[in-house]
């Protein structure tokens, strides 16, 4: 069982490589030639370019190169002894020299190829001889045997890299994923995050195999041409200017570089925001909300200016983005109303500052401390240490209680009830004493006691105290109630609970019943009387029997 699992994993990796190879082969056969046709064409032997030829009279460069490449391949594959490359100048023409391979016409060197025909022909002859010698050596049994062993070594290295990457992912990188990727209640969001991570992981795992396949196919002369074609296709797809924008076209690699620079800009802006907040603004003495607002504005300004600079460095004319901006405007007007609404609400919160970071708020029963304000949402940390993400629009559309707005000092009201007949002065003094003994209750303004009125079963009072830290109000209330109960008990002050008295008067009520019910009740009464009589007789007989047995025994 332990052997089957690695085999299955290896087969899955091989299947992935085959899928990638098929996709690349499809790209090779489908992607059109986007660049203009070159005036020259290469002379290729076993996938390696030797030199390039120009068009000559009625022959195009491509026709000359294709014919020469075909002859070279035929001579290399069937020639066992060393292949002879010679220059034929028997035509006695100063404008034409012929390069022959095994006395077979390979290529004519004309003035279209170089001004100095003889020098050019000798140069090409040397290159052909070296390339043919290398090609014959790479077709030997010893070279193929060594290359197979080397390929096996690279395959083992690719397996080790794949295993190491998987281990690094499971042990170090996967725990760094956000918690919402694992524990999010939104199944769609969790699935999207996990799918993106899985795709990225597969790309990273396939990369060593792809590089290994390209390198191995480049070792063998029989597969080197395919390897070069795949490599050139990949490089051309990445570096070719395929995406027009404005007056210029951009390559996929250029766009990826731009996205990488933009990501670096965002990371730099975020780091600058943290440094500004922790190193500089912390020394100014401003409150936490003001510091957060300044840092947030600096963050957005840096991202905006950096994006403009990147676009200018990329050579993109900003005026060419007017159509794109119009499309974005239409999208905001139609499908992005919610995002635009939250964005504008976030800007209002940041600049108008009805709430700030660090404020203790109550929004529709949700109480907590504001930890972060962004352009889309606000993070509130509740008393249970739970972070709740609230859309910014709720702060503008619903009633919000800000306990620390401009002044954190706030008042608490504690209702207290005592029994009737108690000395009210003692009750007032007890409540004031409990408030004054608590260290979190402010001395100024002084605690107050109001006699609210006469309740159904109690005399109702309100103890009013002032505190400086509203998030502690529940703990302060609990401490005060404990102390109030203790002091009232020491003074024998009864704390009542609701009571109700029920008075029942004797008499008769005119109740009308049906004849059937009356007959049933009468029959039930007679049966009950007979049963009681039987039970009484049985009890008397048992008593007489027990007395008789006692006399016999005596």
């Amino acid at each position: 069982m332990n052997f089957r699992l690695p085999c299955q994993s290896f087969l899955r990796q091989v299947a992935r490589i085959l899928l990638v190879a098929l996709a690349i082969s499809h790209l090779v056969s489908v992607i059109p030639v986007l660049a203009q046709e070159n005036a020259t064409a290469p002379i290729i032997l076993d996938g390696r370019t030797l030199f390039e030829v120009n068009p000559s009279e009625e022959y195009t460069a491509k026709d000359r190169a294709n014919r020469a490449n075909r002859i070279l391949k035929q001579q290399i594959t069937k020639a066992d002894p060393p292949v002879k490359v010679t220059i034929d100048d028997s035509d006695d023409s100063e404008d034409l020299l012929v390069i022959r391979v095994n006395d077979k016409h390979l290529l004519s060197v004309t003035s279209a190829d170089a001004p100095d025909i003889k020098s050019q022909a000798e140069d090409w002859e040397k290159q052909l001889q070296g390339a043919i010698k290398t090609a014959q050596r790479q077709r030997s049994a010893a070279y193929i045997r060594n290359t197979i062993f080397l390929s096996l070594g690279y395959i083992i290295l690719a397996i080790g890299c794949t295993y190491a990457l998987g281990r690094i992912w499971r042990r170090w990188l996967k725990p760094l994923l956000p918690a919402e990727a694992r524990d999010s209640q939104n199944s769609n969001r969790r699935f999207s995050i996990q799918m993106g991570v899985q795709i990225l992981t597969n790309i990273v795992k396939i990369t060593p195999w792809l590089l290994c396949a390209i390198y191995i196919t480049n070792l063998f002369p029989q597969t080197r041409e395919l390897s070069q074609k795949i490599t050139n296709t990949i490089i051309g797809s990445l570096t070719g200017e395929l995406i027009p924008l404005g007056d210029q076209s951009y390559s996929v690699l250029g766009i990826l570089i731009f996205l990488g620079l933009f990501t670096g800009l965002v990371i730099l802006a975020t780091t600058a925001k943290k440094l500004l907040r922790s190193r500089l603004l912390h020394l100014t003495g401003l409150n936490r909300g003001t510091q957060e607002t300044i840092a947030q504005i600096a963050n957005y300004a840096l991202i905006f200016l950096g994006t403009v600079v990147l676009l200018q460095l990329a050579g993109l004319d900003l005026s060419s983005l007017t159509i794109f901006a119009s499309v974005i405007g239409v999208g905001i007007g139609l499908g992005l109303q919610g995002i635009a609404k939250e964005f504008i609400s976030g800007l209002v919160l940041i600049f108008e500052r009805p709430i700030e970071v660090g404020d203790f708020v109550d929004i529709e029963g949700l109480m907590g401390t504001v930890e972060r304000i962004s352009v889309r949402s606000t993070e509130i940390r509740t008393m249970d240490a739970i972070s709740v993400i609230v859309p910014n629009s709720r702060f503008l559309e619903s009633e919000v209680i800000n306990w620390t707005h401009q002044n954190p000092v706030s008042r608490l009201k504690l209702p207290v009830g005592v029994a009737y007949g108690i000395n009210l002065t003692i009750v007032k003094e007890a409540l004031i004493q409990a408030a004054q003994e608590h260290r979190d209750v402010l001395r100024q303004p002084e605690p107050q006691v109001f006699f609210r009125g006469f309740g159904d079963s109690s005399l109702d009072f309100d103890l009013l105290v002032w505190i400086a830290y509203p998030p502690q109000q529940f703990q302060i209330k609990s401490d005060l109630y404990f102390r109030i109960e203790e002091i009232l008990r020491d003074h024998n002050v009864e704390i009542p609970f609701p009571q109700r008295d029920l008075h029942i008067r004797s008499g008769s009520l005119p109740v009308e019943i049906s004849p059937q019910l009356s007959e049933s009740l009468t029959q039930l009464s007679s049966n009950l009387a007979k049963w009681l009589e039987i039970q009484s007789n049985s009890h008397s007989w048992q008593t007489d029997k027990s007395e008789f047995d006692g006399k016999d025994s005596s």
Side-chain angles (χ1 to χ4, degrees):
M1 184 66 181
N2 294 333
F3 177 73
R4 291 178 59 189
L5 290 178
C7 289
Q8 293 176 357
S9 177
F10 177 74
L11 291 176
R12 284 197 298 268
Q13 296 294 341
V14 172
R16 291 173 181 172
I17 293 174
L18 291 177
L19 289 176
V20 173
L22 290 175
I24 293 176
S25 301
H26 180 72
L27 288 175
V28 171
S29 59
V30 172
I31 292 179
V33 179
L34 299 178
Q36 295 181 354
E37 185 177 0
N38 292 329
T40 60
I43 301 298
I44 300 174
L45 180 60
D46 289 341
R48 293 177 177 173
T49 301
L50 304 181
F51 50 85
E52 294 186 350
V53 296
N54 296 319
S56 176
E57 297 180 356
E58 70 272 13
Y59 297 102
T60 64
K62 187 175 182 181
D63 294 337
R64 297 179 66 195
N66 289 340
R67 182 179 180 278
N69 292 334
R70 184 172 62 253
I71 295 174
L72 277 176
K73 185 178 295 185
Q74 292 173 355
Q75 296 299 319
I76 290 298
T77 55
K78 71 179 183 179
D80 191 14
V83 179
K84 295 173 58 178
V85 181
T86 59
I87 300 176
D88 186 3
D89 55 356
S90 59
D91 293 339
D92 295 332
S93 176
E94 297 181 357
D95 297 333
L96 180 65
L97 291 177
V98 178
I99 298 178
R100 296 182 180 274
V101 176
N102 286 340
D103 296 331
K104 190 170 184 178
H105 183 280
L106 176 69
L107 185 66
S108 297
V109 184
T110 65
S111 57
D113 296 314
D116 189 355
I117 299 176
K118 186 176 181 180
S119 176
Q120 184 68 60
E122 292 175 352
D123 186 24
W124 284 358
E125 178 192 11
K126 292 179 182 179
Q127 294 184 33
L128 286 170
Q129 287 178 346
I132 292 173
K133 184 177 179 180
T134 303
Q136 289 182 330
R137 180 180 59 82
Q138 291 179 351
R139 283 170 170 78
S140 63
Y143 177 83
I144 294 176
R145 183 176 59 252
N146 295 334
T147 304
I148 290 175
F149 288 133
L150 183 62
S151 301
L152 292 176
Y154 277 103
I155 291 175
I156 295 174
L157 180 61
I159 294 175
C161 290
T162 304
Y163 176 78
L165 289 173
R167 182 136 184 142
I168 292 173
W169 160 252
R170 290 189 299 269
R171 188 165 184 177
W172 288 295
L173 299 182
K174 191 174 183 179
L176 298 178
L177 286 176
E180 58 186 5
R182 304 184 298 269
D183 307 326
S184 176
Q185 299 296 327
N186 189 343
S187 59
N188 293 331
R189 180 175 177 82
R190 184 174 65 252
F191 176 78
S192 300
I193 295 177
Q194 292 178 350
M195 180 61 68
V197 171
Q198 187 66 30
I199 292 175
L200 183 60
T201 304
N202 290 334
I203 292 175
V204 173
K205 288 183 178 180
I206 288 174
T207 300
W209 287 100
L210 182 61
L211 296 176
C212 179
I214 293 176
Y215 182 79
I216 291 176
T217 54
N218 196 46
L219 292 176
F220 294 92
Q222 294 83 359
T223 57
R224 187 177 297 129
E225 185 175 356
L226 176 61
S227 175
Q228 292 294 329
K229 188 180 293 186
I230 293 175
T231 304
N232 293 335
T233 301
I234 295 175
I235 296 176
S237 301
L238 293 177
T239 58
E241 296 180 351
L242 309 177
I243 304 174
L245 188 60
D247 297 334
Q248 296 186 3
S249 297
Y250 297 90
S251 64
V252 176
L253 183 61
I255 292 178
L256 292 177
I257 293 175
F258 176 81
L259 293 178
L261 292 175
F262 181 76
T263 304
L265 172 64
V266 174
I267 296 174
L268 177 63
T270 304
T271 305
K273 170 188 172 183
K274 294 179 180 179
L275 292 176
L276 178 64
R277 183 174 52 194
S278 60
R279 300 293 183 181
L280 298 179
L281 296 177
H282 180 71
L283 303 176
T284 60
L286 299 174
N287 58 54
R288 182 183 175 188
T290 304
Q291 294 179 21
E292 185 67 24
T293 301
I294 296 175
Q296 197 80 348
I297 293 174
N299 180 35
Y300 294 143
L302 185 59
I303 292 177
F304 175 76
L305 295 177
T307 303
V308 173
V309 172
L310 288 179
L311 292 176
Q312 293 291 340
L313 290 177
L316 182 64
D317 187 6
L318 297 181
S319 61
S320 62
L321 297 178
T322 53
I323 299 178
F324 178 75
S326 301
V327 173
I328 292 297
V330 174
I332 292 176
L334 296 178
L336 304 178
Q337 294 181 4
I339 298 178
K341 177 181 178 182
E342 303 302 337
F343 179 79
I344 295 174
S345 300
L347 294 180
V348 172
L349 293 179
I350 291 175
F351 289 100
E352 187 177 339
R353 296 166 57 192
I355 62 170
E356 301 178 15
V357 174
D359 286 353
F360 187 74
V361 298
D362 181 357
I363 172 172
E364 297 180 350
L366 178 64
M367 300 183 67
T369 304
V370 178
E371 295 291 335
R372 178 182 57 84
I373 302 177
S374 64
V375 294
R376 191 189 65 84
S377 61
T378 298
E379 178 183 351
I380 295 179
R381 191 167 184 84
T382 65
M383 307 298 297
D384 299 325
I386 298 175
S387 295
V388 181
I389 307 302
V390 182
N392 290 330
S393 59
R394 288 184 58 184
F395 289 94
L396 303 181
E397 296 176 351
S398 58
E399 180 179 342
V400 180
I401 300 176
N402 191 344
W403 289 80
T404 54
H405 184 58
Q406 296 182 352
N407 185 10
V409 176
S410 55
R411 189 180 70 176
L412 300 182
K413 181 172 67 173
L414 288 79
V416 179
V418 297
Y420 279 88
I422 302 299
N423 189 342
L424 301 185
T425 303
I426 296 177
V427 175
K428 181 178 181 180
E429 292 177 353
L431 297 179
I432 294 296
Q433 177 185 350
Q436 291 177 345
E437 291 178 356
H438 199 286
R439 56 189 178 88
D440 290 329
V441 175
L442 300 180
R443 298 295 178 263
Q444 293 293 333
E446 296 181 352
Q448 294 178 305
V449 176
F450 289 157
F451 183 19
R452 195 170 68 245
F454 300 93
D456 294 337
S457 58
S458 64
L459 301 175
D460 298 329
F461 293 86
D462 281 340
L463 172 61
L464 306 179
V465 297
W466 296 84
I467 61 174
Y469 191 57
Q472 292 289 337
Q473 56 180 289
F474 301 104
Q475 182 64 43
I476 295 173
K477 282 185 177 182
S478 176
D479 296 341
L480 289 176
Y481 274 127
F482 273 114
R483 184 56 182 158
I484 288 172
E485 193 277 335
E486 183 181 355
I487 295 176
L488 293 180
R489 186 163 21 91
D490 292 341
H491 288 83
N492 296 321
V493 176
E494 179 183 356
I495 299 177
F497 54 88
Q499 300 179 5
R500 294 291 183 271
D501 295 333
L502 179 62
H503 298 278
I504 301 177
R505 294 185 179 181
S506 60
S508 59
L509 296 176
V511 179
E512 296 182 359
I513 57 177
S514 63
Q516 293 83 359
L517 180 59
S518 177
E519 182 180 356
S520 299
L521 292 175
T522 302
Q523 184 178 0
L524 179 63
S525 177
S526 60
N527 292 336
L528 180 61
K530 290 179 181 181
W531 182 79
L532 290 175
E533 183 178 357
I534 294 172
Q535 293 294 327
S536 178
N537 294 335
S538 175
H539 180 68
S540 300
W541 181 78
Q542 291 178 357
T543 304
D544 294 340
K545 183 179 179 182
S546 61
E547 292 178 356
F548 180 75
D549 293 340
K551 291 179 180 180
D552 289 342
S553 62
S554 61

